[in-house]
Amino acid sequence: MAVFEVQGGYRLSGEITPQGAKNEALQILCATLLTSEEVTVRNVPEIVDVLQLIELLKQMGVEVKKLAPGSYTFRAADVDLEYLKTEDYRKRAARLRGSVMIIGPLLARFGVGYLPKPGGDKIGRRRLDTHFIGFQKLGASFNFDAGEGFFAVEGRNLKGCYMLLDEASVTGTANIIMAAVMAQGTTTIYNAACEPYVQQLCRMLNRMGARISGIASNLLIIEGVSQLGGTEHTLLPDMIEVGSFIGLAAMTQSEITIKDVSYNDLGIIPAQFARMGIEFEQRGDDIHIPRQEHYQIESFIDGSIMTIADAPWPGLTPDLLSVFLVVATQAKGAVLIHQKMFESRLFFVDKLIDMGAQIILCDPHRATVIGHDHQMRLRATRMTSPDIRAGVALLIAAMSAEGRSVIQNVEQIDRGYQNIDGRLNALGARITRLDNI
Protein backbone atom coordinates (compact mmCIF):
# COMPACT_ATOMS: atom_id res chain seq x y z
CA MET A 1 0.00 0.00 0.00
CA ALA A 2 1.51 3.31 -1.09
CA VAL A 3 1.42 6.60 0.79
CA PHE A 4 1.98 10.23 -0.13
CA GLU A 5 4.45 12.24 1.91
CA VAL A 6 3.46 15.87 1.36
CA GLN A 7 5.55 18.86 2.32
CA GLY A 8 3.05 21.68 2.55
CA GLY A 9 3.36 25.42 2.16
CA TYR A 10 4.69 25.59 -1.40
CA ARG A 11 3.01 27.79 -3.97
CA LEU A 12 2.47 26.39 -7.44
CA SER A 13 2.81 27.97 -10.85
CA GLY A 14 2.48 26.89 -14.44
CA GLU A 15 0.01 25.08 -16.67
CA ILE A 16 -1.83 21.81 -16.14
CA THR A 17 -4.17 19.90 -18.46
CA PRO A 18 -7.04 17.85 -17.02
CA GLN A 19 -7.26 14.16 -17.89
CA GLY A 20 -10.15 12.65 -19.81
CA ALA A 21 -13.36 12.35 -17.82
CA LYS A 22 -13.44 9.23 -15.67
CA ASN A 23 -17.24 9.05 -15.38
CA GLU A 24 -17.68 9.43 -19.14
CA ALA A 25 -15.01 6.83 -19.83
CA LEU A 26 -16.82 4.15 -17.82
CA GLN A 27 -20.03 4.70 -19.83
CA ILE A 28 -18.33 4.90 -23.22
CA LEU A 29 -16.19 1.80 -22.73
CA CYS A 30 -19.25 -0.24 -21.75
CA ALA A 31 -21.06 1.07 -24.85
CA THR A 32 -18.43 -0.56 -27.09
CA LEU A 33 -20.20 -3.87 -26.29
CA LEU A 34 -23.19 -2.73 -28.36
CA THR A 35 -21.52 -3.44 -31.71
CA SER A 36 -19.30 -6.04 -33.32
CA GLU A 37 -17.54 -3.27 -35.24
CA GLU A 38 -14.48 -1.32 -34.14
CA VAL A 39 -14.87 1.67 -31.84
CA THR A 40 -11.97 4.08 -31.29
CA VAL A 41 -11.91 6.08 -28.03
CA ARG A 42 -9.45 8.90 -27.36
CA ASN A 43 -8.46 10.92 -24.28
CA VAL A 44 -9.01 7.87 -22.06
CA PRO A 45 -7.70 8.50 -18.51
CA GLU A 46 -5.32 5.69 -17.59
CA ILE A 47 -6.45 5.43 -13.99
CA VAL A 48 -7.14 2.35 -11.91
CA ASP A 49 -10.93 2.19 -12.36
CA VAL A 50 -10.72 2.65 -16.13
CA LEU A 51 -7.81 0.23 -16.60
CA GLN A 52 -9.66 -2.40 -14.57
CA LEU A 53 -12.71 -1.99 -16.81
CA ILE A 54 -10.57 -2.30 -19.95
CA GLU A 55 -9.03 -5.50 -18.56
CA LEU A 56 -12.51 -6.83 -17.76
CA LEU A 57 -13.62 -6.17 -21.35
CA LYS A 58 -10.56 -8.07 -22.59
CA GLN A 59 -11.45 -11.04 -20.44
CA MET A 60 -14.97 -10.95 -21.87
CA GLY A 61 -13.52 -11.43 -25.35
CA VAL A 62 -13.33 -7.81 -26.52
CA GLU A 63 -10.31 -7.17 -28.75
CA VAL A 64 -8.53 -4.14 -27.32
CA LYS A 65 -5.63 -2.32 -28.96
CA LYS A 66 -3.72 0.59 -27.48
CA LEU A 67 -2.88 3.04 -30.26
CA ALA A 68 -1.11 5.64 -28.11
CA PRO A 69 -1.29 6.91 -24.53
CA GLY A 70 -4.99 7.49 -23.91
CA SER A 71 -6.14 6.12 -27.30
CA TYR A 72 -7.67 2.66 -27.73
CA THR A 73 -9.72 0.63 -30.17
CA PHE A 74 -12.34 -1.88 -29.02
CA ARG A 75 -13.92 -4.63 -31.10
CA ALA A 76 -16.56 -6.73 -29.34
CA ALA A 77 -17.08 -9.26 -32.15
CA ASP A 78 -16.69 -12.39 -30.00
CA VAL A 79 -18.07 -11.72 -26.53
CA ASP A 80 -17.82 -14.81 -24.32
CA LEU A 81 -21.14 -14.97 -22.47
CA GLU A 82 -20.07 -18.08 -20.56
CA TYR A 83 -17.26 -16.07 -18.97
CA LEU A 84 -19.94 -13.98 -17.24
CA LYS A 85 -20.73 -16.97 -15.04
CA THR A 86 -17.16 -17.58 -13.88
CA GLU A 87 -15.55 -16.76 -10.57
CA ASP A 88 -12.90 -14.65 -12.36
CA TYR A 89 -15.63 -12.44 -13.83
CA ARG A 90 -17.26 -12.15 -10.42
CA LYS A 91 -14.02 -10.99 -8.80
CA ARG A 92 -13.08 -8.53 -11.51
CA ALA A 93 -16.52 -6.96 -11.91
CA ALA A 94 -16.99 -6.61 -8.15
CA ARG A 95 -13.93 -4.36 -7.89
CA LEU A 96 -15.44 -1.33 -9.60
CA ARG A 97 -18.83 0.29 -9.55
CA GLY A 98 -18.76 1.21 -13.24
CA SER A 99 -19.13 -2.45 -14.12
CA VAL A 100 -22.89 -2.15 -13.56
CA MET A 101 -23.12 -0.41 -16.96
CA ILE A 102 -22.09 -3.62 -18.68
CA ILE A 103 -25.60 -4.98 -18.18
CA GLY A 104 -27.44 -2.52 -20.46
CA PRO A 105 -25.33 -3.23 -23.56
CA LEU A 106 -25.32 -7.00 -22.94
CA LEU A 107 -29.09 -7.00 -22.51
CA ALA A 108 -29.61 -4.99 -25.72
CA ARG A 109 -27.32 -7.11 -27.87
CA PHE A 110 -27.49 -10.60 -26.36
CA GLY A 111 -30.64 -10.58 -24.22
CA VAL A 112 -28.80 -11.48 -20.99
CA GLY A 113 -26.63 -9.77 -18.43
CA TYR A 114 -24.94 -10.94 -15.23
CA LEU A 115 -23.20 -8.87 -12.60
CA PRO A 116 -21.96 -9.30 -9.02
CA LYS A 117 -22.76 -6.53 -6.60
CA PRO A 118 -20.32 -3.81 -7.76
CA GLY A 119 -17.69 -2.15 -5.62
CA GLY A 120 -16.39 1.43 -5.65
CA ASP A 121 -16.28 4.12 -2.99
CA LYS A 122 -17.58 3.43 0.51
CA ILE A 123 -19.66 6.60 0.68
CA GLY A 124 -22.96 5.20 1.86
CA ARG A 125 -25.82 3.42 0.18
CA ARG A 126 -25.82 3.74 -3.61
CA ARG A 127 -28.84 1.79 -4.75
CA LEU A 128 -29.22 0.17 -8.15
CA ASP A 129 -33.02 0.04 -8.23
CA THR A 130 -33.28 2.65 -11.00
CA HIS A 131 -31.21 0.49 -13.36
CA PHE A 132 -33.19 -2.69 -12.88
CA ILE A 133 -36.63 -1.09 -12.74
CA GLY A 134 -35.80 0.48 -16.11
CA PHE A 135 -34.78 -2.89 -17.55
CA GLN A 136 -38.00 -4.46 -16.25
CA LYS A 137 -40.10 -1.75 -17.90
CA LEU A 138 -38.42 -2.67 -21.19
CA GLY A 139 -39.58 -6.25 -20.66
CA ALA A 140 -36.59 -7.87 -18.97
CA SER A 141 -36.83 -10.19 -15.99
CA PHE A 142 -34.62 -9.52 -13.01
CA ASN A 143 -33.28 -11.81 -10.30
CA PHE A 144 -30.98 -11.04 -7.40
CA ASP A 145 -29.37 -13.72 -5.29
CA ALA A 146 -28.87 -11.94 -1.97
CA GLY A 147 -26.70 -14.75 -0.63
CA GLU A 148 -24.33 -14.67 -3.57
CA GLY A 149 -24.71 -10.93 -4.20
CA PHE A 150 -25.27 -11.61 -7.91
CA PHE A 151 -27.64 -9.91 -10.38
CA ALA A 152 -29.08 -11.65 -13.44
CA VAL A 153 -31.19 -9.94 -16.12
CA GLU A 154 -32.79 -11.62 -19.12
CA GLY A 155 -34.86 -10.14 -21.92
CA ARG A 156 -34.43 -11.23 -25.53
CA ASN A 157 -37.29 -9.17 -26.97
CA LEU A 158 -37.09 -5.79 -25.31
CA LYS A 159 -39.90 -3.38 -26.19
CA GLY A 160 -39.86 0.39 -25.96
CA CYS A 161 -42.07 2.08 -23.39
CA TYR A 162 -42.58 5.24 -21.37
CA MET A 163 -40.79 5.43 -18.04
CA LEU A 164 -40.46 8.08 -15.35
CA LEU A 165 -37.25 7.49 -13.41
CA ASP A 166 -37.58 7.71 -9.64
CA GLU A 167 -34.23 9.51 -9.52
CA ALA A 168 -32.08 11.24 -12.13
CA SER A 169 -29.33 8.65 -11.77
CA VAL A 170 -26.43 9.23 -14.18
CA THR A 171 -25.32 5.61 -14.40
CA GLY A 172 -28.94 4.44 -14.30
CA THR A 173 -29.87 6.71 -17.21
CA ALA A 174 -26.83 5.61 -19.21
CA ASN A 175 -27.55 1.93 -18.58
CA ILE A 176 -31.20 2.22 -19.60
CA ILE A 177 -30.30 4.21 -22.73
CA MET A 178 -27.87 1.49 -23.81
CA ALA A 179 -30.50 -1.19 -23.20
CA ALA A 180 -33.16 0.74 -25.11
CA VAL A 181 -31.27 1.68 -28.28
CA MET A 182 -32.03 -1.68 -29.88
CA ALA A 183 -35.43 -2.33 -28.28
CA GLN A 184 -38.48 -2.60 -30.52
CA GLY A 185 -40.42 0.64 -30.83
CA THR A 186 -39.96 3.91 -28.98
CA THR A 187 -38.68 4.41 -25.44
CA THR A 188 -39.33 7.67 -23.60
CA ILE A 189 -37.26 8.36 -20.48
CA TYR A 190 -38.48 11.24 -18.29
CA ASN A 191 -36.43 12.59 -15.38
CA ALA A 192 -33.34 11.36 -17.22
CA ALA A 193 -29.95 12.57 -16.05
CA CYS A 194 -28.59 15.12 -18.51
CA GLU A 195 -24.95 15.53 -17.41
CA PRO A 196 -22.48 16.27 -20.22
CA TYR A 197 -21.25 12.67 -19.92
CA VAL A 198 -24.74 11.34 -20.69
CA GLN A 199 -24.96 13.80 -23.58
CA GLN A 200 -21.63 12.51 -24.89
CA LEU A 201 -22.86 8.92 -24.67
CA CYS A 202 -26.03 9.77 -26.62
CA ARG A 203 -24.12 11.58 -29.35
CA MET A 204 -21.71 8.66 -29.70
CA LEU A 205 -24.60 6.19 -29.94
CA ASN A 206 -26.25 8.33 -32.61
CA ARG A 207 -23.04 8.23 -34.63
CA MET A 208 -23.20 4.45 -34.29
CA GLY A 209 -26.70 4.47 -35.78
CA ALA A 210 -28.97 4.98 -32.77
CA ARG A 211 -31.87 7.42 -32.91
CA ILE A 212 -31.91 9.43 -29.71
CA SER A 213 -33.53 12.87 -29.42
CA GLY A 214 -33.89 15.27 -26.51
CA ILE A 215 -30.15 15.20 -25.77
CA ALA A 216 -29.17 17.69 -23.01
CA SER A 217 -32.70 17.61 -21.57
CA ASN A 218 -34.32 15.37 -18.97
CA LEU A 219 -36.73 13.94 -21.55
CA LEU A 220 -35.09 11.46 -23.92
CA ILE A 221 -36.86 9.74 -26.81
CA ILE A 222 -35.18 6.64 -28.23
CA GLU A 223 -36.39 4.98 -31.41
CA GLY A 224 -35.05 1.44 -31.44
CA VAL A 225 -32.82 0.23 -34.27
CA SER A 226 -31.82 -3.31 -35.24
CA GLN A 227 -28.05 -2.87 -34.93
CA LEU A 228 -25.25 -0.39 -34.33
CA GLY A 229 -21.94 0.16 -36.08
CA GLY A 230 -18.48 1.43 -35.21
CA THR A 231 -17.43 5.02 -34.58
CA GLU A 232 -14.76 7.27 -33.09
CA HIS A 233 -15.16 9.22 -29.88
CA THR A 234 -13.11 11.68 -27.82
CA LEU A 235 -13.80 12.04 -24.11
CA LEU A 236 -14.38 15.42 -22.49
CA PRO A 237 -11.85 16.74 -19.99
CA ASP A 238 -12.71 15.73 -16.44
CA MET A 239 -14.74 18.49 -14.81
CA ILE A 240 -13.91 17.11 -11.35
CA GLU A 241 -10.20 17.56 -12.03
CA VAL A 242 -10.85 21.09 -13.30
CA GLY A 243 -12.70 21.95 -10.10
CA SER A 244 -10.03 20.28 -7.97
CA PHE A 245 -7.32 22.39 -9.61
CA ILE A 246 -9.30 25.62 -9.10
CA GLY A 247 -9.68 24.79 -5.40
CA LEU A 248 -6.03 23.79 -5.10
CA ALA A 249 -4.86 27.10 -6.56
CA ALA A 250 -6.98 29.06 -4.08
CA MET A 251 -5.93 27.01 -1.04
CA THR A 252 -2.21 27.24 -1.83
CA GLN A 253 -2.37 30.88 -3.00
CA SER A 254 -0.96 29.85 -6.34
CA GLU A 255 -1.18 31.13 -9.90
CA ILE A 256 -1.94 28.40 -12.43
CA THR A 257 -3.59 27.97 -15.81
CA ILE A 258 -5.83 24.99 -16.47
CA LYS A 259 -5.68 24.14 -20.17
CA ASP A 260 -8.40 22.86 -22.50
CA VAL A 261 -11.22 22.60 -19.95
CA SER A 262 -14.20 22.52 -22.39
CA TYR A 263 -15.56 25.55 -20.51
CA ASN A 264 -19.10 25.29 -21.87
CA ASP A 265 -19.42 21.81 -20.36
CA LEU A 266 -18.49 22.92 -16.83
CA GLY A 267 -22.00 24.14 -16.07
CA ILE A 268 -22.39 25.86 -12.70
CA ILE A 269 -18.95 24.87 -11.40
CA PRO A 270 -17.12 28.16 -12.23
CA ALA A 271 -20.00 30.24 -10.82
CA GLN A 272 -19.95 28.30 -7.55
CA PHE A 273 -16.23 28.93 -7.12
CA ALA A 274 -16.89 32.60 -7.82
CA ARG A 275 -19.42 32.59 -4.94
CA MET A 276 -16.58 31.34 -2.76
CA GLY A 277 -14.70 34.51 -3.69
CA ILE A 278 -12.19 32.78 -5.94
CA GLU A 279 -11.07 34.87 -8.90
CA PHE A 280 -10.42 33.33 -12.29
CA GLU A 281 -10.36 34.34 -15.93
CA GLN A 282 -11.57 32.43 -18.95
CA ARG A 283 -8.97 32.61 -21.69
CA GLY A 284 -10.42 30.88 -24.71
CA ASP A 285 -10.91 27.31 -23.49
CA ASP A 286 -8.47 27.76 -20.60
CA ILE A 287 -9.03 28.95 -17.03
CA HIS A 288 -6.40 31.19 -15.43
CA ILE A 289 -6.43 31.50 -11.63
CA PRO A 290 -4.31 34.39 -10.34
CA ARG A 291 -2.53 34.29 -7.01
CA GLN A 292 -4.93 35.43 -4.29
CA GLU A 293 -3.97 36.29 -0.72
CA HIS A 294 -7.62 36.09 0.37
CA TYR A 295 -10.99 34.96 -0.95
CA GLN A 296 -14.29 35.83 0.72
CA ILE A 297 -17.46 33.73 0.67
CA GLU A 298 -20.56 35.56 -0.44
CA SER A 299 -23.70 35.70 1.68
CA PHE A 300 -27.24 35.41 0.42
CA ILE A 301 -29.07 38.67 -0.31
CA ASP A 302 -30.81 38.57 3.07
CA GLY A 303 -27.45 38.19 4.82
CA SER A 304 -27.87 34.52 5.71
CA ILE A 305 -25.00 32.05 5.47
CA MET A 306 -24.15 30.74 2.02
CA THR A 307 -25.21 27.15 1.31
CA ILE A 308 -23.50 25.02 -1.33
CA ALA A 309 -25.40 21.84 -2.13
CA ASP A 310 -25.26 19.14 -4.75
CA ALA A 311 -28.10 18.63 -7.22
CA PRO A 312 -28.81 16.81 -10.49
CA TRP A 313 -27.33 18.53 -13.54
CA PRO A 314 -27.32 21.43 -14.27
CA GLY A 315 -26.90 21.67 -10.50
CA LEU A 316 -23.56 21.13 -8.78
CA THR A 317 -22.03 17.67 -9.06
CA PRO A 318 -21.69 15.91 -5.68
CA ASP A 319 -18.17 14.81 -6.63
CA LEU A 320 -16.88 18.35 -5.99
CA LEU A 321 -18.42 19.02 -2.58
CA SER A 322 -15.39 17.57 -0.78
CA VAL A 323 -13.20 20.09 -2.64
CA PHE A 324 -15.53 23.01 -1.84
CA LEU A 325 -15.49 22.01 1.81
CA VAL A 326 -11.71 21.95 2.11
CA VAL A 327 -11.37 25.22 0.15
CA ALA A 328 -13.79 26.87 2.59
CA THR A 329 -11.44 26.16 5.51
CA GLN A 330 -9.14 29.00 4.34
CA ALA A 331 -11.82 31.38 3.07
CA LYS A 332 -13.06 34.51 4.79
CA GLY A 333 -16.57 33.82 6.04
CA ALA A 334 -18.68 30.76 6.63
CA VAL A 335 -20.56 28.30 4.44
CA LEU A 336 -22.92 25.36 4.91
CA ILE A 337 -21.95 22.36 2.76
CA HIS A 338 -25.00 20.16 2.12
CA GLN A 339 -24.25 16.74 0.62
CA LYS A 340 -27.70 15.40 -0.23
CA MET A 341 -26.95 12.28 -2.22
CA PHE A 342 -24.55 10.22 -0.07
CA GLU A 343 -24.81 9.87 3.68
CA SER A 344 -21.16 9.06 4.44
CA ARG A 345 -19.25 11.41 2.16
CA LEU A 346 -18.63 14.09 4.78
CA PHE A 347 -17.13 11.79 7.39
CA PHE A 348 -13.59 12.70 6.29
CA VAL A 349 -13.95 16.12 7.96
CA ASP A 350 -12.58 14.73 11.23
CA LYS A 351 -9.16 14.69 9.54
CA LEU A 352 -9.53 18.36 8.65
CA ILE A 353 -10.60 19.18 12.21
CA ASP A 354 -7.43 17.43 13.45
CA MET A 355 -5.51 19.78 11.14
CA GLY A 356 -7.10 22.80 12.81
CA ALA A 357 -10.02 23.49 10.50
CA GLN A 358 -13.14 24.98 12.08
CA ILE A 359 -15.90 22.63 10.98
CA ILE A 360 -19.13 21.60 12.65
CA LEU A 361 -20.49 18.31 11.30
CA CYS A 362 -24.21 18.89 11.75
CA ASP A 363 -25.29 15.43 10.58
CA PRO A 364 -24.19 12.91 7.92
CA HIS A 365 -25.28 15.30 5.17
CA ARG A 366 -24.35 18.80 6.40
CA ALA A 367 -21.23 20.54 7.65
CA THR A 368 -20.70 24.19 8.55
CA VAL A 369 -17.23 25.57 7.80
CA ILE A 370 -15.84 28.76 9.34
CA GLY A 371 -12.85 29.83 7.30
CA HIS A 372 -9.46 30.93 8.67
CA ASP A 373 -8.96 33.57 5.91
CA HIS A 374 -5.36 32.30 5.61
CA GLN A 375 -4.66 33.80 9.04
CA MET A 376 -3.89 30.38 10.47
CA ARG A 377 -2.37 27.54 8.44
CA LEU A 378 -3.67 24.02 8.78
CA ARG A 379 -1.42 21.65 10.72
CA ALA A 380 0.32 18.74 9.03
CA THR A 381 -0.86 15.32 10.14
CA ARG A 382 -1.15 11.65 9.19
CA MET A 383 -4.43 10.64 7.54
CA THR A 384 -6.08 8.01 5.37
CA SER A 385 -7.92 8.57 2.10
CA PRO A 386 -11.44 7.07 2.50
CA ASP A 387 -12.60 7.58 -1.11
CA ILE A 388 -11.51 9.21 -4.37
CA ARG A 389 -12.92 12.69 -3.83
CA ALA A 390 -12.18 12.96 -0.11
CA GLY A 391 -8.68 11.74 -0.93
CA VAL A 392 -7.93 14.61 -3.28
CA ALA A 393 -9.50 17.05 -0.81
CA LEU A 394 -7.12 15.80 1.87
CA LEU A 395 -4.23 16.13 -0.58
CA ILE A 396 -5.20 19.77 -1.18
CA ALA A 397 -5.34 20.32 2.59
CA ALA A 398 -1.90 18.74 3.06
CA MET A 399 -0.39 20.90 0.30
CA SER A 400 -1.63 24.04 2.05
CA ALA A 401 -0.65 22.91 5.56
CA GLU A 402 2.47 23.77 7.48
CA GLY A 403 4.88 20.87 7.70
CA ARG A 404 4.97 17.25 6.54
CA SER A 405 1.76 15.26 6.13
CA VAL A 406 1.36 11.59 5.29
CA ILE A 407 -1.68 10.32 3.36
CA GLN A 408 -2.30 6.60 3.46
CA ASN A 409 -4.40 4.51 1.08
CA VAL A 410 -3.52 6.67 -1.93
CA GLU A 411 -4.76 3.85 -4.15
CA GLN A 412 -8.15 5.47 -3.66
CA ILE A 413 -6.83 8.69 -5.20
CA ASP A 414 -5.21 6.73 -8.03
CA ARG A 415 -8.64 5.32 -8.91
CA GLY A 416 -9.71 8.75 -10.13
CA TYR A 417 -6.62 10.88 -10.76
CA GLN A 418 -3.88 9.91 -13.21
CA ASN A 419 -0.30 10.48 -11.98
CA ILE A 420 -1.59 13.25 -9.72
CA ASP A 421 1.66 13.48 -7.74
CA GLY A 422 3.83 13.79 -10.85
CA ARG A 423 1.58 16.37 -12.49
CA LEU A 424 1.37 18.54 -9.36
CA ASN A 425 5.09 18.23 -8.68
CA ALA A 426 5.67 19.67 -12.16
CA LEU A 427 3.91 22.82 -10.87
CA GLY A 428 6.12 23.02 -7.78
CA ALA A 429 4.40 20.72 -5.28
CA ARG A 430 6.43 18.52 -2.93
CA ILE A 431 4.69 15.12 -3.03
CA THR A 432 6.66 11.90 -2.61
CA ARG A 433 5.12 8.49 -3.26
CA LEU A 434 6.47 5.89 -0.84
CA ASP A 435 5.75 2.36 0.25
CA ASN A 436 3.64 2.31 3.41
CA ILE A 437 5.56 3.86 6.33
Side-chain angles (χ1 to χ4, degrees), residues 81-94 103 113-118 128 132 142-153:
L81 297 179
E82 290 303 311
Y83 172 72
L84 304 178
K85 303 174 185 178
T86 66
E87 185 63 23
D88 186 70
Y89 173 72
R90 179 192 298 270
K91 289 179 179 178
R92 290 179 185 273
I103 294 185
Y114 303 98
L115 188 78
K117 188 175 181 180
L128 299 174
F132 296 108
F142 162 65
N143 291 292
F144 174 58
D145 186 326
E148 295 292 330
F150 206 82
F151 302 94
V153 184

Side-chain angles (χ1 to χ4, degrees), residues 7-278:
Q7 189 65 42
Y10 288 91
R11 290 178 173 170
L12 313 184
S13 63
E15 299 179 346
I16 190 167
T17 302
Q19 67 188 23
K22 173 204 167 189
N23 291 340
E24 181 185 349
L26 298 177
Q27 298 178 23
I28 295 299
L29 298 189
C30 290
T32 64
L33 291 166
L34 284 164
T35 178
S36 61
E37 297 183 16
E38 188 174 270
V39 177
T40 301
V41 186
R42 299 186 178 89
N43 201 30
V44 177
E46 294 180 343
I47 54 179
V48 171
D49 277 12
V50 172
L51 294 177
Q52 285 184 348
L53 180 57
I54 291 174
E55 187 58 34
L56 178 61
L57 292 173
K58 288 181 181 178
Q59 297 299 319
M60 292 172 63
V62 179
E63 182 183 347
V64 180
K65 295 180 182 178
K66 185 173 182 179
L67 306 178
S71 293
Y72 294 81
T73 62
F74 300 85
R75 189 168 180 268
D78 298 301
V79 177
D80 182 3
L81 297 179
E82 290 303 311
Y83 172 72
L84 304 178
K85 303 174 185 178
T86 66
E87 185 63 23
D88 186 70
Y89 173 72
R90 179 192 298 270
K91 289 179 179 178
R92 290 179 185 273
R95 292 175 188 163
L96 67 157
R97 185 164 186 83
S99 62
V100 69
M101 288 181 288
I102 288 174
I103 294 185
L106 291 177
L107 189 60
R109 188 170 163 204
F110 302 107
V112 294
Y114 303 98
L115 188 78
K117 188 175 181 180
D121 287 330
K122 307 304 181 187
I123 54 177
R125 187 172 62 92
R126 303 173 77 180
R127 62 189 182 89
L128 299 174
D129 302 57
T130 302
H131 301 246
F132 296 108
I133 291 172
F135 298 151
Q136 288 175 315
K137 288 182 179 295
L138 292 170
S141 62
F142 162 65
N143 291 292
F144 174 58
D145 186 326
E148 295 292 330
F150 206 82
F151 302 94
V153 184
E154 296 185 6
R156 298 187 182 277
N157 294 293
L158 300 182
K159 291 181 171 57
C161 65
Y162 171 87
M163 64 180 79
L164 172 61
L165 302 187
D166 63 336
E167 62 172 352
S169 164
V170 176
T171 55
T173 299
N175 223 352
I176 295 167
I177 290 169
M178 290 187 282
V181 287
M182 289 192 283
Q184 298 175 33
T186 300
T187 300
T188 301
I189 307 174
Y190 198 20
N191 195 31
C194 54
E195 271 78 355
Y197 307 144
V198 177
Q199 298 174 35
Q200 285 280 92
L201 172 66
C202 290
R203 294 187 183 106
M204 171 180 154
L205 293 174
N206 279 351
R207 291 195 302 273
M208 295 169 69
R211 301 179 67 183
I212 306 171
S213 59
I215 299 172
S217 78
N218 68 347
L219 180 63
L220 295 175
I221 298 174
I222 305 168
E223 298 178 47
V225 297
S226 59
Q227 63 181 15
L228 298 178
T231 190
E232 297 185 0
H233 183 81
T234 300
L235 301 178
L236 290 173
D238 196 311
M239 68 172 74
I240 313 305
E241 270 215 343
V242 174
S244 300
F245 295 151
I246 294 173
L248 172 62
M251 275 287 283
T252 59
Q253 298 173 301
S254 300
E255 179 174 359
I256 67 172
T257 298
I258 311 170
K259 303 289 291 183
D260 303 324
V261 300
S262 190
Y263 194 92
N264 292 335
D265 290 304
L266 295 178
I268 201 172
I269 292 171
Q272 288 287 42
F273 278 110
R275 295 176 80 182
M276 295 283 288
I278 297 171

Side-chain angles (χ1 to χ4, degrees), residues 5-8 379-382 398 401-406 434 437:
E5 183 180 270
V6 183
Q7 189 65 42
R379 297 186 296 268
T381 189
R382 188 182 188 95
E402 186 172 4
R404 171 186 166 274
S405 294
V406 174
L434 303 169
I437 57 174

Side-chain angles (χ1 to χ4, degrees), residues 270-337:
Q272 288 287 42
F273 278 110
R275 295 176 80 182
M276 295 283 288
I278 297 171
E279 298 175 6
F280 59 87
E281 178 186 352
Q282 181 184 358
R283 296 180 176 177
D285 207 28
D286 304 339
I287 293 178
H288 177 75
I289 303 102
R291 176 177 164 182
Q292 296 171 245
E293 296 298 328
H294 306 276
Y295 49 96
Q296 181 170 348
I297 301 170
E298 295 180 2
S299 298
F300 286 120
I301 293 174
D302 64 359
S304 59
I305 185 173
M306 174 65 64
T307 299
I308 294 181
D310 56 345
W313 190 270
L316 183 64
T317 171
D319 284 347
L320 272 176
L321 280 194
S322 299
V323 173
F324 276 98
L325 189 149
V326 75
V327 170
T329 64
Q330 288 297 342
K332 181 178 181 180
V335 64
L336 175 67
I337 302 294

